Amino acid sequence: MSDATSGLLRTGLLRARPRTPRGYAWTAGAVLLLALPFYLDRFWLQAGLFAMAAAIGAIGLNLLTGATGQLSMGHSFFLAVGAYGYCVLAGDSGTENGHELAGLGLPTWLAAVLAVLLAGVAGGLFSPIAGRLRGAYLGIATLALIFIGQHVLFNAGDLTGGFNGRAVPPLSLFGFAFDDSETVVAAVPFQSSEKLWYVGLAALLAGALFARGVLRGRPGRAMNAIRDHRIAAGVMGVPVARYRAAVFVLSSMYAGLAGVLLALIFQRTVPDYFGMILALEYLAMIVIGGLGTVAGAVVGAAFVSLLPQLLTHYSDTLPLVSDPGTGGLAPGEAARYLYGAAIVAVVLFLPGGLTRPALSARSPRSSREKT
């Protein structure tokens, strides 16, 4: 047998090797996520859905702040655009809580797509500013979006329903409604949480894969160059202002998608939710998880979004934590204390975020495999 033939056989055998332990772990994780609606109750499913929506929004913010170095304090504004845009586009006109609500009555799947595009348009209108400002100046400029958004949400009652918000039309796709109407699958009753679980998984997977492709491709290298050496990137021919504006639009669309999913989970949009605290929570997500990585956004979003729900759920058994209004430390307050402690600990001891040790441990092995 010739050396060339034996080499081809060795290459084929190497490629035909069974999956690595990491591949088996990914497969097992995927099967577990698909099976969870059959075993978990409504609380845990809703907690997971909140984490998925937060992860989608955090991925978009990480593309903007972590990968490109643009500080944004107005992410919650674009979540509100997505959530309320879906309600207006999919809802019907009518009277609710004393407000004559406007609605176009579009098919809900089309309304969801258009709401994401609407958030991108809102980001595009702001992108000329985002393309020219950086650092604290951009942060202050985006902070103004929250104040503008809150004023509009509370006062444009015909669109938003005012202080009490407005109901969210359930998603419907190919005649299948993702609402609380019971659908039995394998002797398990599926309601809105179980049905939306798979919508959230699909949206998160698509968003994560797209962001990963962006970061690993030529746009990602240009974004990192802008973040690290803006002037040098411009000298090398990278259109800095254009990239900054484009990433801002893309980040806004991720926020819009997260807003649509949040609206479907809540089943009612309330203006108070889309304020300053939500914007700060998203910044905490990407700092705790790790700047500039998709995995960091997902891990940070899970930590920040699940922590207050777990504290609330187990408040009667946890020390120093009590039910809201009982005079002790409320779960939300305890969660914010833990956010602050986690951010300080990450900055001091894990500057790259919670996912950085895993990425650092994997990179030497990857380099050996390539050689």
Side-chain angles (χ1 to χ4, degrees):
M1 184 180 298
S2 66
D3 292 339
T5 304
S6 61
L8 289 174
L9 287 175
R10 284 196 300 270
T11 303
L13 289 173
L14 288 174
R15 291 181 178 176
R17 285 185 306 178
R19 287 175 176 264
T20 62
R22 186 177 169 216
Y24 283 118
W26 278 108
T27 303
V31 173
L32 176 63
L33 288 174
L34 291 174
L36 283 179
F38 292 92
Y39 301 98
L40 297 182
D41 59 21
R42 189 180 184 91
F43 168 80
W44 292 107
L45 291 176
Q46 285 193 333
L49 282 168
F50 284 127
M52 292 179 197
I56 294 171
I59 290 172
L61 185 60
N62 223 354
L63 290 174
L64 181 66
T65 301
T68 318
Q70 294 178 276
L71 177 62
S72 175
M73 298 285 291
H75 210 55
S76 57
F77 170 81
F78 298 103
L79 271 87
V81 172
Y84 280 98
Y86 172 78
C87 292
V88 173
L89 292 169
D92 295 321
S93 301
T95 303
E96 184 179 344
N97 295 323
H99 295 283
E100 290 290 337
L101 296 180
L104 299 181
L106 298 177
T108 53
W109 65 268
L110 178 60
V113 174
L114 292 179
V116 175
L117 295 178
L118 182 63
V121 170
L125 294 176
F126 192 81
S127 62
I129 300 174
R132 288 165 174 77
L133 297 179
R134 60 190 180 94
Y137 298 101
L138 179 60
I140 296 299
T142 54
L143 187 61
L145 291 175
I146 296 182
F147 299 119
I148 295 172
Q150 288 287 286
H151 178 77
V152 172
L153 293 180
F154 282 115
N155 292 280
D158 55 341
L159 294 177
T160 66
F163 288 86
N164 295 320
R166 63 182 294 171
V168 179
L171 181 66
S172 179
L173 186 62
F174 302 119
F176 183 80
F178 294 83
D179 55 10
D180 281 323
S181 60
E182 190 172 288
T183 302
V184 179
V185 179
V188 176
F190 269 45
Q191 294 182 326
S192 61
S193 297
E194 289 83 0
K195 299 171 187 176
L196 286 174
W197 180 269
Y198 297 105
V199 176
L201 277 181
L204 177 57
L205 178 62
L209 291 178
F210 183 81
R212 186 184 181 192
V214 169
L215 291 174
R216 292 191 172 187
R218 184 176 179 181
R221 293 190 292 271
M223 291 156 58
N224 291 334
I226 294 171
R227 177 196 62 198
D228 297 332
H229 304 285
R230 177 179 58 89
I231 297 177
V235 171
M236 290 187 297
V238 176
V240 176
R242 189 185 307 169
Y243 261 96
R244 282 180 168 175
V247 175
F248 198 91
V249 172
L250 180 60
S251 175
S252 303
M253 294 178 68
Y254 270 88
L257 178 58
V260 172
L261 185 56
L262 279 172
L264 293 171
I265 299 167
F266 278 123
Q267 299 182 359
R268 188 170 193 85
T269 53
V270 181
D272 276 332
Y273 181 76
F274 302 98
M276 178 71 69
I277 293 177
L278 183 61
L280 295 177
E281 286 180 351
Y282 271 96
L283 286 175
M285 291 175 194
I286 62 174
V287 172
I288 293 172
L291 293 172
T293 65
V294 174
V298 175
V299 171
F303 178 84
V304 173
S305 63
L306 291 178
L307 184 60
Q309 298 183 68
L310 294 177
L311 290 176
T312 303
H313 191 65
Y314 295 108
S315 60
D316 55 345
T317 59
L318 293 174
L320 304 178
V321 179
S322 60
D323 293 330
T326 58
L329 185 64
E333 296 175 350
R336 292 190 184 97
Y337 286 131
L338 291 176
Y339 295 160
I343 291 175
V344 172
V346 165
V347 171
L348 290 178
F349 304 109
L350 291 172
L354 295 177
T355 58
R356 186 59 59 188
L359 296 174
S360 300
R362 194 176 66 192
S363 55
R365 182 170 65 251
S366 301
S367 60
R368 286 197 302 269
E369 289 176 356
K370 290 180 181 179
T371 56

